[in-house]
Amino acid sequence: MSEDQIGTKTEWMKQTNGGHIFYNFHELNGYFKNAITYIKTALEQGDEVLFIENERLWSSLKEKLVMCLSTAQLRKVCYINNFDFYCMNGDFESATILAYFNKTQDDFTKKNSSFRTWAHVEWGCQEDIDIKISEYERIVDVTLCKSGLISVCAYDACRVSPTLEAILKRFHNFLLYDNERLIHSKEYSGF
């Protein structure tokens, strides 16, 4: 494994101040492979995983996870439906999403459990979505840097405009690619 792949980089992130990872995925095979590697690496490094995904993709991913994880390991992967997470009140609203995340984080803290997240960010048809996502990711970046968490924010490339992609690269200090390559973002502006 080269030093820019998921396992090596996330081990380094865990020992430093965490990482905010932008994954603009182009195909599902790469997406599933990266998700499985990320989950297995997290478990090997002693973390649980909060996995925020739509039901259809979660169902497919869970079938793959059952084949490569033990029952005990599977219990350390907590699934939340991404529609519930991102559009709880019918709209992509930063304050609502962050309140939900903080409550979930408190649940892990009460269990005295370290964790990392993987979130497939999706939204319905909304005006000013680039602005809303930009605001959300800026706040998340500050939160992650302060808490030291490792988090992947996965976006389906066919839904991400070039403008939104440029914004997302500014608010994530790492970029993940379908081939498991994980690199520092040159565009990252920090919090």
Side-chain angles (χ1 to χ4, degrees):
M1 180 184 300
S2 74
E3 64 183 54
D4 64 346
Q5 288 188 313
I6 295 171
T8 306
K9 284 280 178 142
T10 56
E11 175 65 27
W12 174 81
M13 287 178 208
K14 185 172 172 121
Q15 294 172 7
T16 58
N17 63 341
H20 192 196
I21 303 164
F22 170 47
Y23 180 22
N24 197 26
F25 69 92
H26 291 85
E27 53 98 15
L28 285 179
N29 286 335
Y31 181 81
F32 288 139
K33 185 176 179 185
N34 279 337
I36 290 167
T37 300
Y38 185 80
I39 290 168
K40 289 171 80 174
T41 299
L43 297 173
E44 289 167 4
Q45 294 173 1
D47 289 340
E48 293 187 36
V49 179
L50 173 61
F51 207 92
I52 303 165
E53 182 59 84
N54 67 52
E55 284 185 44
R56 181 182 61 83
L57 291 183
W58 174 249
S59 178
S60 297
L61 180 60
K62 191 169 181 187
E63 287 177 15
K64 296 173 187 325
L65 290 172
V66 165
M67 297 183 337
C68 64
L69 297 179
S70 70
T71 303
Q73 288 175 313
L74 283 170
R75 281 194 292 266
K76 293 182 179 198
V77 181
C78 175
Y79 164 71
I80 294 178
N81 180 292
N82 69 350
F83 178 78
D84 294 340
F85 190 80
Y86 289 110
C87 298
M88 181 176 280
N89 293 330
D91 195 10
F92 192 101
E93 187 60 47
S94 295
T96 306
I97 298 166
L98 293 168
Y100 192 169
F101 177 77
N102 289 335
K103 184 206 171 301
T104 305
Q105 184 176 12
D106 288 345
D107 293 342
F108 280 97
T109 302
K110 286 175 188 171
K111 293 188 321 184
N112 200 24
S113 179
S114 63
F115 74 104
R116 57 186 76 174
T117 68
W118 178 292
H120 181 179
V121 183
E122 292 186 299
W123 58 92
C125 295
Q126 296 179 35
E127 287 187 35
D128 301 323
I129 194 63
D130 287 5
I131 293 167
K132 290 177 180 183
I133 291 173
S134 175
E135 174 189 336
Y136 166 73
E137 290 288 6
R138 181 186 56 76
I139 295 167
V140 168
D141 191 50
V142 170
T143 302
L144 292 174
C145 287
K146 287 181 180 177
S147 67
L149 287 174
I150 300 171
S151 182
V152 171
C153 298
Y155 288 80
D156 187 336
C158 70
R159 297 199 67 201
V160 176
S161 68
T163 302
L164 181 56
E165 182 177 6
I167 290 168
L168 292 169
K169 286 180 178 180
R170 285 189 17 239
F171 294 121
H172 293 81
N173 53 351
F174 291 92
L175 308 174
L176 177 61
Y177 295 93
D178 285 333
N179 63 0
E180 293 188 79
R181 193 161 168 245
L182 181 63
I183 63 169
H184 282 279
S185 173
K186 293 176 184 166
E187 295 89 351
Y188 181 62
S189 60
F191 65 96

